[in-house]
Amino acid sequence: MLFRSDDLKARLVSEPGNRRLNSWLGLAEALLGEREAALKHGQEAVRLATEEGDAVALPAAKLRLALIQSWTNDLDAAFAGLAALLPKEGLEITVPAMKLDPWFAKLRADARFGTLAADPKNNAPLISDLSGRGGRSGRGGPGGPGGDRESTRLNSRHVKRSRMPSSA
């Protein structure tokens, strides 16, 4: 999505409670070197997402705030924010993607990125078991002996395959 910061500012006047506009405007301002305005809009996006109570929107807003902080050279805050986000589910970015995504270029240039990327808890598989059997016990579902979280390890033997009808 490409936006001009002036277009985003104009839209934000009519939609001041729009967390996405605040996030994107904050990113645009960070790239333009408008540090204070960028941080203000990034923090406002996090505040709005917190108020909404949206489990997907809040990590996304916090991720964009970390990017804004990195592009405004507040690397300490950016790394602190990412360290709190990465072990969580629902984040829209993974460590392998961060290694390639240009938005993370400022962070990759810092030695702390290597430490963050090498941490095993930040590199857990996104999908691990779709069988519904759950974790170590082989039983799924909350409260089962395998724990209160169902394992999601992808296992090819649990994927149903359909057969194409043969043409006779």
Side-chain angles (χ1 to χ4, degrees):
M1 230 185 258
L2 293 176
F3 292 109
R4 291 181 15 185
S5 66
D6 292 340
D7 296 339
L8 292 172
K9 288 176 186 176
R11 273 191 67 192
L12 197 57
V13 169
S14 62
E15 300 176 53
N18 188 323
R19 80 179 142 65
R20 288 186 186 102
L21 280 176
N22 275 286
S23 279
W24 288 110
L25 180 56
L27 286 168
E29 290 167 333
L31 293 173
L32 293 170
E34 300 171 12
R35 183 182 195 284
E36 296 305 318
L39 291 170
K40 176 185 146 217
H41 286 111
Q43 291 162 348
E44 178 66 6
V46 170
R47 186 191 68 76
L48 291 167
T50 302
E51 285 179 2
E52 291 173 12
D54 187 329
V56 174
L58 184 57
K62 287 181 176 181
L63 174 65
R64 290 192 188 101
L65 176 59
L67 290 173
I68 290 167
Q69 291 164 330
S70 73
W71 283 93
T72 57
N73 294 317
D74 189 358
L75 296 179
D76 292 337
F79 277 109
L82 280 177
L85 283 172
L86 277 174
K88 309 268 191 266
E89 293 181 16
L91 190 62
E92 61 185 39
I93 195 78
T94 62
V95 169
M98 288 170 50
K99 291 178 180 178
L100 300 172
D101 192 324
W103 280 107
F104 293 90
K106 287 257 193 175
L107 295 171
R108 284 193 303 266
D110 190 287
R112 291 173 284 184
F113 183 82
T115 304
L116 191 75
D119 190 337
K121 73 179 181 194
N122 296 334
N123 289 291
L126 295 177
I127 299 175
S128 54
D129 184 0
L130 298 178
S131 69
R133 293 186 320 179
R136 293 160 280 177
S137 71
R139 290 180 53 198
D148 57 351
R149 264 186 22 126
E150 186 173 338
S151 174
T152 54
R153 184 174 32 196
L154 180 60
N155 191 327
S156 62
R157 69 177 175 223
H158 297 293
V159 177
K160 293 183 180 178
R161 298 191 179 169
S162 60
R163 292 189 165 187
M164 298 293 293
S166 60
S167 57

